[in-house]
Amino acid sequence: MFAALSLLTLALAACQKPGGGADDNAPSLAVGDSVSGEITSSSRLNYNDGSRHQGYKVALKSGQAVALELGGSLNGQLSVFDGQSLLATASARGYEGEAGPGDVSLAFKAPKDGTYLVAVNSAGSDSFGPFKLKSSAVTPYDGKPLGADSEAIDWLMGDKQEYRFKVDKAGIYTIGMESGTLDSYLHLTGRNVDIEDDDSGNNLNARIRAYLEPGDYTIGASSLNGSTGSFKLKVGLTPVDKDLVIRDGSALTIGQTAQGMVDSRGRRSFVLNLDSARHLQFDAIADNFDSVLRISGPGIDAEDDDGGNGTNARLTLHMGPGHYTVTVSSFGSQQGVFELETSDLGADMAAPANSNRKDAADAAAEAAAAAVAN
């Protein structure tokens, strides 16, 4: 890859003036404008691999950030040169990072005042077709800490960018990274929190939803497909009910719904004390993770993943008197908020497949047989 880029640099250097200026014969492209073109057999030749290219001159000020987007049917690449130095390059990404047809996006920042060469390259000697090249100015993130109900529009310029995030009020925070060109990836750290996410948002967008205590955090934004491009960071705060369960050991009340938050390990446990036999249904309802339910106690050790609606968990059990532990966890140890409903189904309802009625009946029969034998 390095050798190929070096040869590409040498090949494109032939269309630049000595001393580092861009080729005077290349058409100009102003920031904010779009141009249409086509790579044909008469386009300028890259001697290393037989591919073709078309160059454009772009005049920039030091520190000016520019976004480039290449679209059309051309299987192409983008490269930016400062004289004979390659500043940035990008190609369309297929599955598992392999080059392939598709839109190409690239962002770069001018290191000094000057005129730069933007090269639209075909991906190979047999790649031809029309293209559209769009340029736009990028207003980089101003560096101020993000907070509740804030957003920042930025451009991914490298492998990863970090943003300061200050939480003034405890609550459930939703952090989203939205982009039409990147496979977004988020990483939140701070205050004993370490959460990563890839595709919890729509399409390839990333989203983290977590209960956060006041303090300083860091949001890491990156792309799984190695692309650069524009994105939006959005931080939303959902005020929590004063009864939100954020610690283990809270008591459940039959007929009521408990709102809880799974911890960094992806689980939260409750206790249930029964003074008489009951026929109960438990529903763990979550909107942003796959819930799992586990109930253990006298004669019971039951677990369910998707017995409820969608990916929600449900257990329906005949339970005798005693002390039980009810645990809600998230598949994959994701953080998030859930509701735990505990419903009394009454004594008349037929026992479902995951109940322990059969075990209870067997135990009663065994006890009766033992009594007769004695």
Side-chain angles (χ1 to χ4, degrees):
M1 179 66 179
F2 178 78
L5 289 176
S6 298
L7 289 171
L8 177 61
T9 302
L10 292 174
L12 289 175
C15 68
Q16 298 172 336
K17 294 175 59 179
D23 183 4
D24 287 336
N25 294 325
S28 296
L29 175 65
V31 176
D33 286 351
S34 299
V35 294
S36 296
E38 185 173 4
I39 296 296
T40 68
S41 58
S42 61
S43 300
R44 301 191 70 168
L45 179 67
N46 296 325
Y47 290 100
N48 63 305
D49 62 0
S51 62
R52 306 281 174 164
H53 71 269
Q54 170 64 55
Y56 296 90
K57 295 183 297 183
V58 181
L60 300 172
K61 296 292 185 180
S62 177
Q64 186 175 359
V66 180
L68 299 172
E69 295 181 17
L70 178 65
S73 60
L74 175 69
N75 183 3
Q77 303 169 339
L78 282 174
S79 300
V80 180
F81 290 85
D82 175 17
Q84 297 185 20
S85 299
L86 178 66
L87 289 184
T89 187
S91 60
R93 298 278 179 173
Y95 291 104
E96 299 183 357
E98 296 297 329
D103 293 344
V104 182
S105 61
L106 180 150
F108 73 101
K109 186 181 294 185
K112 62 181 184 297
D113 292 354
T115 301
Y116 298 82
L117 179 70
V118 175
V120 177
N121 313 298
S122 64
S125 59
D126 57 352
S127 296
F128 303 97
F131 64 84
K132 184 174 183 179
L133 177 63
K134 178 182 178 181
S135 69
S136 58
V138 176
T139 302
Y141 170 58
D142 60 11
K144 295 180 181 178
L146 297 172
D149 300 317
S150 64
E151 67 177 41
I153 298 176
D154 208 352
W155 196 276
L156 188 64
M157 309 290 284
D159 293 336
K160 182 180 181 180
Q161 291 168 196
E162 294 187 339
Y163 301 82
R164 293 182 294 160
F165 175 36
K166 185 174 180 59
V167 173
D168 295 320
K169 180 181 180 181
I172 301 169
Y173 286 82
T174 302
I175 304 167
M177 181 179 177
E178 302 174 356
S179 175
T181 59
L182 305 174
D183 186 354
S184 304
Y185 193 82
L186 281 173
H187 188 191
L188 176 66
T189 56
R191 293 284 306 217
N192 296 319
V193 170
D194 191 338
I195 308 172
E196 299 176 73
D197 182 75
D198 176 15
D199 294 331
S200 290
N202 295 327
N203 299 319
L204 297 179
N205 295 323
R207 186 183 69 167
I208 289 174
R209 192 165 186 243
Y211 179 85
L212 301 178
E213 299 282 356
D216 294 323
Y217 298 81
T218 299
I219 299 173
S222 58
S223 171
L224 283 182
N225 60 4
S227 297
T228 60
S230 62
F231 66 91
K232 179 187 291 185
L233 273 180
K234 297 176 65 176
V235 180
L237 168 62
T238 301
V240 297
D241 191 301
K242 61 182 178 62
D243 295 324
L244 178 72
V245 177
I246 59 173
R247 292 178 176 83
D248 292 336
S250 295
L252 291 177
T253 301
I254 297 173
Q256 295 186 7
T257 298
Q259 184 184 44
M261 180 86 188
V262 295
D263 59 19
S264 58
R265 300 169 300 172
R267 63 177 183 247
R268 179 67 60 210
S269 63
F270 299 81
V271 296
L272 176 64
N273 292 302
L274 297 179
D275 55 10
S276 61
R278 308 292 286 267
H279 182 200
L280 302 177
Q281 177 173 298
F282 301 84
D283 286 275
I285 304 168
D287 64 354
N288 68 326
F289 63 83
D290 184 354
S291 63
V292 180
L293 256 177
R294 182 174 183 181
I295 299 176
S296 59
I300 290 178
D301 188 359
E303 183 173 300
D304 178 73
D305 179 10
D306 297 331
N309 296 326
T311 59
N312 294 321
R314 172 180 292 170
L315 282 171
T316 305
L317 302 167
H318 281 268
M319 305 171 69
H323 177 86
Y324 297 86
T325 299
V326 180
T327 301
V328 177
S329 58
S330 61
F331 192 80
S333 299
Q334 291 182 299
Q335 276 199 316
V337 176
F338 63 88
E339 291 183 341
L340 178 58
E341 297 179 353
T342 307
S343 306
D344 190 342
L345 300 182
D348 299 334
M349 299 190 67
N354 65 351
S355 80
N356 66 334
R357 172 175 285 185
K358 182 178 183 299
D359 292 340
D362 290 344
E366 290 175 3
V372 171
N374 293 330

